[in-house]
Amino acid sequence: MGRPKGFEPDVVVAQAMETFWTKGYADTSPADLAEATGVAKGSLYHSFGSKRELFAKALDLYSRAGAELTEEFLWRPGTAKERFHAYFVLLVDMDLDGPVRRGCLAQNTVGELGGRDEEATRAVHRMEERMIELFAARIEQGQRDGDVDLDVDARAQALLLQTTLAGLRVMAKTFDRPALYRIIDTALAAL
């Protein structure tokens, strides 16, 4: 019988995710991962396979956590416009108030690996599609509630909002809060 693991795999993946998010995939070394997780390199690779496999698990965790936050936030009481506004402001504020302006792990991954790494590209595309689905569902609920015009194409508006959010998360690395808030207000004017 083998020795039990001295760490919680979910915690290690979360710690690795934070490291990849801050440093990027290429700039995260095995030593960085060992330091961030407190798990020796050999044990990390024995448990999770390669750095690439650990990165895939980190992206999956990021995707699940992001979808949960999005769902929870968008379905709170209020109009669709109010909920989107609050959600976008929350993400911008998180980006700006962190110790490092690191933006969005998904968008960072697209910038670093998109088009060159099929698996990473597909993973981010799945994340974006999930967000578009959630956005469209909330817009459709707004239409049923009467706070979004019935002429609004929910899917097209959701695509625009996802594109805006992706851009906001990138721009949060260099722009100030007032500029980002103006972008949010402009993007949501159609709702």
Side-chain angles (χ1 to χ4, degrees):
M1 189 168 163
R3 288 187 318 176
K5 292 179 183 165
F7 58 85
E8 289 292 323
D10 293 342
V11 172
V12 170
V13 171
Q15 292 164 328
M17 179 190 75
E18 294 293 332
T19 305
F20 287 125
W21 192 355
T22 301
K23 297 186 79 148
Y25 176 74
D27 288 341
T28 298
S29 69
D32 293 330
L33 292 169
E35 181 180 336
T37 63
V39 178
K41 288 185 276 187
S43 295
L44 269 177
Y45 290 120
H46 177 72
S47 297
F48 297 100
S50 66
K51 172 183 160 181
R52 184 66 188 77
E53 289 172 290
L54 183 55
F55 183 65
K57 290 181 185 310
L59 282 177
D60 183 59
L61 173 62
Y62 186 82
S63 177
R64 285 184 283 118
E68 288 172 13
L69 175 68
T70 303
E71 266 189 288
E72 189 272 327
F73 223 81
L74 289 182
W75 293 97
R76 288 180 183 173
T79 66
K81 187 174 187 174
E82 291 167 347
R83 296 316 315 143
F84 279 111
H85 187 272
Y87 175 66
F88 281 27
V89 165
L90 169 77
L91 294 178
V92 163
D93 287 348
M94 286 172 41
D95 286 340
L96 296 178
D97 295 339
V100 177
R101 287 190 180 198
R102 59 187 182 170
C104 170
L105 177 59
Q107 297 315 310
N108 296 347
T109 299
V110 167
E112 182 179 5
L113 303 173
R116 294 189 326 259
D117 181 320
E118 286 185 39
E119 185 180 336
T121 301
R122 280 193 306 272
V124 172
H125 183 77
R126 284 191 303 272
M127 281 185 234
E128 292 170 331
E129 282 294 334
R130 178 68 179 131
M131 296 299 283
I132 292 163
E133 290 170 10
L134 292 170
F135 289 0
R138 185 60 184 94
I139 291 165
E140 290 165 352
Q141 182 62 49
Q143 289 173 320
R144 289 189 293 277
D145 294 343
D147 59 76
V148 175
D149 193 299
L150 293 175
D151 292 337
V152 170
D153 180 328
R155 172 79 181 174
Q157 189 67 37
L159 281 164
L160 176 63
L161 292 177
Q162 174 56 31
T163 301
T164 302
L165 183 57
L168 280 168
R169 302 296 303 278
V170 171
M171 291 176 74
K173 292 180 177 185
T174 59
F175 279 73
D176 66 7
R177 199 176 312 265
L180 297 170
Y181 284 2
R182 282 193 304 275
I183 293 167
I184 292 169
D185 292 340
T186 302
L188 295 176
L191 287 180

